[in-house]
Amino acid sequence: MKDFIVNITKLTKSITQQGFGLPLILATTKAHPYTLYDDISALAEDFPAETDAYKIAARIFGQNPAPAQVAVYGILYGEEGTPEDLVTALNTLVETNNDWYFLICDLNDDAVITALSGWVDTQIKMYFVTSQTLTTPVTLESERTVVMYHNDAAAYVAEGLVAIAATHRPGELTFKFKTVAGVSEANITATELTALHTANGFSYIRKMGVLQTTEGKTTSGEYIDIVMGADFLEVRMEEEAAYLAVNTLKIPYDNQGISQLMSCVDKVLKQGVAQGIILKDDDGNGVYEITVVKRENTSTNDIASRTYNGVHWTAELAGAIHTGTISGILEY
């Protein structure tokens, strides 16, 4: 019989991380449960090659590298369907399956685009769509909606761009100058392209002999990588704080506990520096600052209610170079 018994508890509970690398295809040809597919052949068993859902998935899986998985969720839209039905379906979906980031739909008429753009504005997600109408982005002004123009309805160039986004860390790349495998040049004039850019859409052309995206903005005018970077910082900070709370007996309401919360923020900001979201100085250090309010400067009401709102940070965005001028002098 043991005099002393030792019980060891591992404080290693996990917190689910939001899937920044997972696209969702909202299919409208039939009702279909939320399903993850590892490759196009598995998807073809549920969505034949003639369906738009298949063609979109083929464009995504056809990139190199391609995402490890694509999610598909389907509703039967039919002739009586309305864009609000798609919004309702998405609201139902996220109640049980919300670990995806990129929204794609096999319908791309302006009414559907407007409805899905409005929905995604209420989420920490992004919506990518290829339109055959040059004026589509004009009225959207959405920070979470990306509209590309291509005259070919089967091009799915924005959807292919999702594969590039999903296989890189948020903030790691700009979305201008990107080549989407399997997509030909859009038929668009220089004047039309200028107007499209003014409306914060973009297209796909051959420039300097290379097929490439002409910009990398959402319809609000913000750059895609900036929106994704901000989402990454927000979500990962929430996850780090939740992980701390779950895997400690408690976060004490003292300056040590406050320091633990500050460390969660610092950890994620360092990730932001590594991924190119936050600027590095000439010595390679991240250009950011974190300040905290100590317990002795916190209101007694907040302490009594176990609420702490005293961690604040600022950071300088790294951005990317898209255009510029290089000057030189030739001399004898």
Side-chain angles (χ1 to χ4, degrees):
M1 181 177 178
K2 295 180 180 179
D3 291 316
F4 297 96
I5 299 173
V6 177
N7 293 315
I8 298 176
T9 301
K10 293 182 179 179
L11 297 179
T12 55
K13 295 178 184 177
S14 64
I15 298 294
T16 300
Q17 290 197 335
Q18 180 161 316
F20 282 92
L22 183 59
L24 171 80
I25 299 172
L26 179 60
T28 60
T29 54
K30 65 177 181 179
H32 185 74
Y34 179 86
T35 307
L36 295 173
Y37 297 95
D38 297 331
D39 54 48
I40 193 64
S41 59
L43 185 141
E45 296 178 9
D46 295 322
F47 293 90
E50 64 269 17
T51 63
D52 291 325
Y54 175 95
K55 294 171 185 176
I56 291 169
R59 177 70 71 233
I60 294 171
F61 280 126
Q63 304 308 306
N64 186 21
Q69 292 181 314
V70 168
V72 180
Y73 177 61
I75 70 166
L76 181 59
Y77 194 70
E79 294 182 1
E80 303 300 321
T82 67
E84 288 70 30
D85 295 335
L86 302 177
V87 170
T88 299
L90 288 170
N91 284 331
T92 300
L93 174 66
V94 296
E95 290 295 320
T96 54
N97 295 282
N98 200 28
D99 279 353
W100 51 274
Y101 184 71
F102 302 100
L103 172 63
I104 298 164
C105 184
D106 60 6
L107 294 179
N108 69 341
D109 61 79
D110 278 356
V112 166
I113 292 173
T114 299
L116 295 183
S117 177
W119 181 84
V120 84
D121 279 341
T122 67
Q123 310 292 315
I124 303 181
K125 301 183 186 297
M126 297 196 75
Y127 170 41
F128 282 63
V129 61
T130 306
S131 174
Q132 283 68 64
T133 306
L134 284 162
T135 56
T136 295
V138 171
T139 60
L140 295 178
E141 297 184 1
S142 165
E143 193 168 83
R144 299 189 170 277
T145 300
V146 176
V147 176
M148 290 190 67
Y149 169 81
H150 202 292
N151 55 287
D152 181 3
Y156 297 119
V157 62
E159 294 79 357
L161 189 60
V162 164
I164 298 173
T167 51
H168 291 80
R169 299 178 301 175
E172 198 170 41
L173 78 162
T174 180
F175 288 82
K176 189 177 180 181
F177 314 117
K178 296 299 174 282
T179 299
V180 180
V183 181
S184 60
E185 181 177 18
N187 183 9
I188 185 171
T189 68
T191 301
E192 289 171 335
L193 185 59
T194 297
L196 183 64
H197 284 174
T198 299
N200 294 317
F202 58 105
S203 191
Y204 192 69
I205 65 171
R206 188 178 297 277
K207 194 172 184 180
M208 304 293 289
V210 178
L211 287 167
Q212 57 189 273
T213 53
T214 63
E215 246 308 341
K217 292 181 178 181
T218 69
T219 57
S220 73
E222 185 57 273
Y223 291 100
I224 300 168
D225 56 299
I226 298 298
V227 177
M228 289 186 63
D231 284 351
F232 174 86
L233 295 176
E234 177 182 344
V235 169
R236 292 295 182 257
M237 284 182 191
E238 290 176 350
E239 290 169 349
E240 287 294 331
Y243 185 86
L244 174 65
V246 167
N247 289 286
T248 57
L249 295 177
K250 71 174 183 179
I251 305 171
Y253 210 128
D254 56 20
N255 291 332
Q256 182 180 0
I258 291 169
S259 179
Q260 289 175 326
L261 282 175
M262 179 179 174
S263 295
C264 293
V265 173
D266 186 59
K267 178 180 178 181
V268 177
L269 291 175
K270 281 184 169 64
Q271 287 181 277
V273 174
Q275 292 176 204
I277 301 169
I278 297 171
L279 182 68
K280 291 180 183 177
D281 63 20
D282 291 342
D283 296 320
N285 301 310
V287 182
Y288 65 84
E289 181 180 4
I290 309 170
T291 60
V292 297
V293 177
K294 292 186 175 181
R295 175 185 167 114
E296 52 266 31
N297 297 321
T298 303
S299 74
T300 54
N301 285 339
D302 281 353
I303 295 171
S305 65
R306 301 194 172 193
T307 301
Y308 180 74
N309 301 314
V311 179
H312 304 280
W313 59 270
T314 59
E316 191 164 342
L317 289 167
I321 298 172
H322 280 190
T323 60
T325 301
I326 299 172
S327 301
I329 298 173
L330 288 173
E331 296 180 333
Y332 283 103

